[in-house]
Amino acid sequence: RGTTYHTLQGLKEKRLVVKFKKRNTAYFTAESPSILLKILQEKNEIIKEILPDLQCIKENKDMKPDISLFLGKEGIKRVYNDILETLKQKGEKQLFAISQFEIFDLLPKFFPQWLEKRRKLGIFSYLITPDTKQGRDLFEQVTKQGLGEVRLTPQKYTWDGSLNIYSDKIALFSFSAPELSAVIIENKTLNVMFRNFFKFNWEMLDSHRP
């Protein structure tokens, strides 16, 4: 009885039932179904009133970062596709990346196709990666194919992911199984900060080129 009473009280607060007393006993009866339409109309008016402010917040990327999380291999593919789509839409041709080689093993079919799409779009990448045999092989491959420029870090600096800076966005990847994930942050202020951090390291690594 207690649960029923509290449920009815909740429905009363939502104006879906009416409460009245008869001979000191509380009774509840359903409101007219038309009340549902009235409630929806009221909520619609509230949404119309606040919608311009919500839209303003959404469009103002400098006010608050727009952050999206993607999980699994399909999520990682979506983020890499977003890199190409965003640069294509903005008419931009530069990509700054700090990455390991797991992506080739993780997506053996997808990633070579993605590189070919990037080449066709004429997007030039600046890549920082560890100074290993794979890194030197990649250096030769990228330079030969005109896909970008590579600079190598000392082997003691390794990581299990990737950082990509493009347009007004930053993409962060974690390649550590089983929690494969990626995050896109869209914010001009953070993008400029990461971009300058990347350029500083790029210049510092000039002497480490093979």
Side-chain angles (χ1 to χ4, degrees):
R1 281 167 49 181
T3 300
T4 301
Y5 181 81
H6 286 300
T7 300
L8 289 169
Q9 281 292 112
L11 292 173
K12 177 177 176 294
E13 292 172 3
K14 294 178 181 179
R15 295 181 291 166
L16 298 177
V17 299
V18 176
K19 178 183 178 181
F20 63 94
K21 282 189 176 182
K22 184 177 180 182
R23 297 178 183 175
N24 294 323
T25 301
Y27 291 86
F28 294 86
T29 184
E31 267 282 12
S32 169
S34 62
I35 191 65
L36 295 172
L37 182 59
K38 184 178 180 180
I39 292 172
L40 288 175
Q41 289 173 339
E42 291 174 357
K43 290 184 177 181
N44 189 45
E45 291 301 318
I46 293 173
I47 292 173
K48 284 183 179 179
E49 185 176 343
I50 66 173
L51 190 59
D53 292 332
L54 294 176
Q55 191 64 33
C56 181
I57 293 172
K58 174 66 176 176
E59 293 175 355
N60 191 344
K61 302 300 182 185
D62 292 326
M63 182 182 297
K64 184 178 180 181
D66 187 353
I67 303 174
S68 302
L69 172 65
F70 303 84
L71 301 175
K73 289 185 179 181
E74 292 305 313
I76 288 176
K77 290 179 183 179
R78 288 181 60 186
V79 177
Y80 271 108
N81 285 331
D82 181 77
I83 292 173
L84 298 185
E85 291 170 6
T86 300
L87 291 174
K88 181 180 179 180
Q89 291 174 1
K90 297 292 183 67
E92 299 177 10
K93 301 292 184 179
Q94 289 186 331
L95 170 64
F96 304 91
I98 301 175
S99 186
Q100 272 279 20
F101 301 97
E102 286 92 339
I103 187 64
F104 288 95
D105 296 329
L106 187 65
L107 302 171
K109 293 183 179 180
F110 171 84
F111 200 68
Q113 294 173 354
W114 183 87
L115 288 175
E116 179 60 19
K117 290 179 182 178
R118 179 166 70 78
R119 186 189 66 79
K120 290 181 178 180
L121 289 172
I123 297 171
F124 192 91
S125 72
Y126 298 87
L127 173 64
I128 294 175
T129 195
D131 186 359
T132 61
K133 182 182 183 304
Q134 289 175 307
R136 290 173 177 268
D137 290 345
L138 183 62
F139 177 92
E140 296 296 334
Q141 176 185 347
V142 169
T143 304
K144 182 179 180 180
Q145 297 180 0
L147 290 171
E149 187 174 347
V150 179
R151 294 189 182 177
L152 307 175
T153 66
Q155 293 186 29
K156 64 180 179 179
Y157 298 110
T158 60
W159 52 89
D160 296 320
S162 178
L163 163 67
N164 289 256
I165 306 163
Y166 60 106
S167 189
D168 292 332
K169 299 180 180 181
I170 305 157
L172 298 165
F173 298 85
S174 173
F175 299 145
S176 298
E179 299 299 327
L180 301 173
S181 61
V183 175
I184 294 177
I185 303 173
E186 187 171 1
N187 180 268
K188 290 181 180 179
T189 301
L190 292 177
N191 180 276
V192 170
M193 182 182 72
F194 273 85
R195 192 178 292 252
N196 287 336
F197 177 76
F198 178 93
K199 290 180 178 179
F200 170 79
N201 284 275
W202 182 264
E203 294 174 2
M204 294 293 291
L205 290 169
D206 190 35
S207 61
H208 291 90
R209 295 175 61 187

